């Protein structure tokens, strides 16, 4: 099939990834190409040149905002992105694609969806976003195309706006995770973007309470938070590794006894869970958002949101869980092949888009 993918524009779709959405879009595009589809990714021009990228903007908006203004200017970002997406949608109205699959966080593709000669498919990667919500309320969900959500929990948050959604859990390339076969050490790991919503400081406190060192990996998205809430908690046995390459992160996860996931908001999915399980590492996490959908008794333990005491207990509960089972669960339930299979079935079935959630999940 000839597939157009609309990426978001805030960060380049390139390694090292700024976050989960960039990693997903990169892997998803590559997987469709590998399966023989004719794919075009519409994204920022500073994305990975090995991808079939058509530039919507020369540079991603958040890095460009910092360069131009010395800070992230959200009004500037929105105006630039809106104009770029509007121009793109007008170009796409000329046809040429069998499927237009929208992974942006913008309302503009929804606004122009009626111009497309094929149905716009939007995968919802975030909680309810005010600008997208306003667009759906104005035009009605049928007037904005068709919608896929990445978890049952996130679909529930959008249900008042989108009564018809297909749930397709995100996946990870299990052939690219867990290849190191590292000897497990009595260490925990926390990885992701470092900002208050991710709760890095709570992971450190729980690890200390459990008596286990913590490796912290990821880019600092909020320097003040890191300096005041995270850095003072780092002990000599802990380590902040910065933003690492895929191979380096794979090795760090694979050697860890447990991954800590500490959201202070309702995570729509949680790729870190799938990546950790693929590395044979169980997960101790706060029971928020989609995490209870992803973590079972054989792969991890859940704690009351925000409770350092319960998370420390969950850490201990993960120490005896077999890594082989964690990896098998990732391969069977959270593999990229499984996810791509579901999307291909959706693309090929334009007449009946809403399939039962239990089938999709």
């Amino acid at each position: 099939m000839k597939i157009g993918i609309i990426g978001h524009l805030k960060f380049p779709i390139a390694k090292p990834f700024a976050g989960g959405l960039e990693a997903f879009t990169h892997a998803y595009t590559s997987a469709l190409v590998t399966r023989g589809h004719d794919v075009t990714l519409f994204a920022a021009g500073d994305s990975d040149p090995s991808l079939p990228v058509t530039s919507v903007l020369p540079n991603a908006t958040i890095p460009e905002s910092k360069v131009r203004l010395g800070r992230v200017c959200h009004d500037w970002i929105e105006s630039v992105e809106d104009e770029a997406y509007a121009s793109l949608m007008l170009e796409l109205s000329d046809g040429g694609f069998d499927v237009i699959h929208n992974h942006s966080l913008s309302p503009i593709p929804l606004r122009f969806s009626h111009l497309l000669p094929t149905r716009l498919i939007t995968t919802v990667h975030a909680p309810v976003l005010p600008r997208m919500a306003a667009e759906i309320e104005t035009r009605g969900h049928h007037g904005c195309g068709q919608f896929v959500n990445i978890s049952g929990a996130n679909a529930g948050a959008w249900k008042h706006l989108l009564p018809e959604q297909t749930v397709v859990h995100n996946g990870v390339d299990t052939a690219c995770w867990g290849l190191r076969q590292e000897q497990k050490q009595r260490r925990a790991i926390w990885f992701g973007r470092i900002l208050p919503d991710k709760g890095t400081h709570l992971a450190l406190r729980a690890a200390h309470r459990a008596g286990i060192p913590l490796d912290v990996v990821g880019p600092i998205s909020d320097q003040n938070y890191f300096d005041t809430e995270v850095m003072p908690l780092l002990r000599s046995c802990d380590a902040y590794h910065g933003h690492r390459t895929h191979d380096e992160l794979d090795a760090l996860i694979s050697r860890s006894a447990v991954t800590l996931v500490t959201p202070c908001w309702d995570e729509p999915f949680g790729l870190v869970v799938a990546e950790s399980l693929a590395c044979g590492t169980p997960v101790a996490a706060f029971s928020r958002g989609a995490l209870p959908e992803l973590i079972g008794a054989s792969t991890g333990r859940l704690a009351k949101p925000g409770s350092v005491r319960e998370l420390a207990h969950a850490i201990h509960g993960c120490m005896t869980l077999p890594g082989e089972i964690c990896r098998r669960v990732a391969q069977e339930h959270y593999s990229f092949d499984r996810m791509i299979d579901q999307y291909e079935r959706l693309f090929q079935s334009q007449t009946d888009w809403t399939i039962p959630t239990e089938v999709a999940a």
Side-chain angles (χ1 to χ4, degrees):
M1 302 181 75
K2 188 171 177 60
I3 303 171
I5 299 174
I6 303 176
H8 83 139
L9 301 175
K10 289 177 171 52
F11 296 99
I13 310 302
K15 299 177 181 179
F17 300 115
L21 184 52
E22 293 79 18
F24 171 90
T25 306
H26 190 284
Y28 178 68
T29 302
S30 299
L32 289 175
V33 170
T34 299
R35 291 204 176 192
H37 298 289
D38 182 359
V39 182
T40 302
L41 171 63
F42 298 98
D46 48 355
S47 296
D48 186 345
S50 70
L51 297 174
V53 176
T54 292
S55 175
V56 180
L57 286 173
N59 298 292
T61 54
I62 287 185
E64 183 72 1
S65 176
K66 289 181 177 179
V67 169
R68 287 171 174 264
L69 306 169
R71 59 188 176 86
V72 174
C73 179
H74 293 285
D75 289 343
W76 180 86
I77 289 171
E78 286 184 357
S79 64
V80 170
E81 290 187 355
D82 286 357
E83 183 177 344
Y85 281 127
S87 297
L88 170 63
M89 296 303 289
L90 291 174
E91 291 178 17
L92 293 176
S93 67
D94 290 338
F97 289 94
D98 299 310
V99 174
I100 302 295
H101 196 178
N102 175 30
H103 294 275
S104 78
L105 304 176
S106 169
I108 303 302
L110 309 183
R111 184 177 304 173
F112 286 84
S113 64
H114 66 284
L115 297 179
L116 299 177
T118 186
R119 294 283 281 172
L120 178 72
I121 305 154
T122 295
T123 294
V124 181
H125 289 274
V128 177
L129 300 173
R131 297 181 73 223
M132 286 185 70
E135 198 66 42
I136 295 167
E137 287 177 334
T138 298
R139 299 183 180 278
H141 65 280
H142 286 299
C144 295
Q146 294 158 332
F147 292 87
V148 174
N149 216 308
I150 60 175
S151 70
N154 203 50
W158 283 86
K159 188 174 181 180
H160 65 291
L161 294 164
L162 302 174
E164 298 175 7
Q165 301 172 72
T166 299
V167 174
V168 177
H169 281 151
N170 279 344
V172 297
D173 187 349
T174 54
C176 293
W177 291 97
L179 301 181
R180 296 297 182 131
Q181 301 296 316
E182 298 282 341
Q183 183 67 36
K184 290 293 185 184
Q185 301 178 17
R186 187 178 169 78
R187 298 185 68 86
I189 189 170
W190 183 101
F191 61 99
R193 290 183 297 127
I194 299 175
L195 70 167
D197 282 348
K198 298 291 187 178
T200 321
H201 65 296
L202 298 175
L204 280 161
R205 290 174 181 168
H208 295 162
R209 188 180 181 102
I212 186 170
L214 183 68
D215 291 305
V216 176
V217 186
I220 298 171
S221 297
D222 187 323
Q223 189 67 50
N224 181 64
Y225 168 69
F226 180 81
D227 292 341
T228 60
E229 300 291 335
V230 177
M231 190 66 181
L233 292 176
L234 289 168
R235 298 177 178 176
S236 59
C237 59
D238 303 318
Y240 172 56
H241 295 268
H243 202 178
R244 312 306 292 180
T245 67
H246 170 88
D247 288 346
E248 291 167 336
L249 179 58
D250 178 75
L252 288 167
I253 300 170
S254 296
R255 80 174 189 184
S256 301
V258 57
T259 293
L260 306 189
V261 183
T262 53
C264 297
W265 65 306
D266 291 333
E267 287 274 7
F269 184 73
L271 279 174
V272 295
V273 174
E275 291 163 354
S276 296
L277 298 183
C279 291
T281 302
V283 178
F286 290 146
S287 184
R288 294 200 65 163
L291 298 184
E293 289 179 49
L294 309 182
I295 301 169
S298 63
T299 58
R301 295 290 183 270
L302 295 168
K304 179 181 177 181
S307 174
V308 169
R309 179 184 62 81
E310 287 196 17
L311 187 60
H313 184 71
I315 291 171
H316 288 300
C318 287
M319 301 300 284
T320 58
L321 296 178
E324 296 82 2
I325 292 179
C326 292
R327 179 159 175 80
R328 191 179 311 135
V329 168
Q331 291 171 326
E332 292 177 358
H333 296 284
Y334 307 121
S335 73
F336 230 80
D337 282 341
R338 183 271 314 161
M339 185 194 73
I340 297 295
D341 286 346
Q342 290 177 249
Y343 274 121
E344 285 182 329
R345 288 198 298 270
L346 291 175
F347 294 162
Q348 292 163 2
S349 177
Q350 295 291 318
T351 59
D352 184 14
W353 268 82
T354 304
I355 62 176
T357 296
E358 63 269 21
V359 174

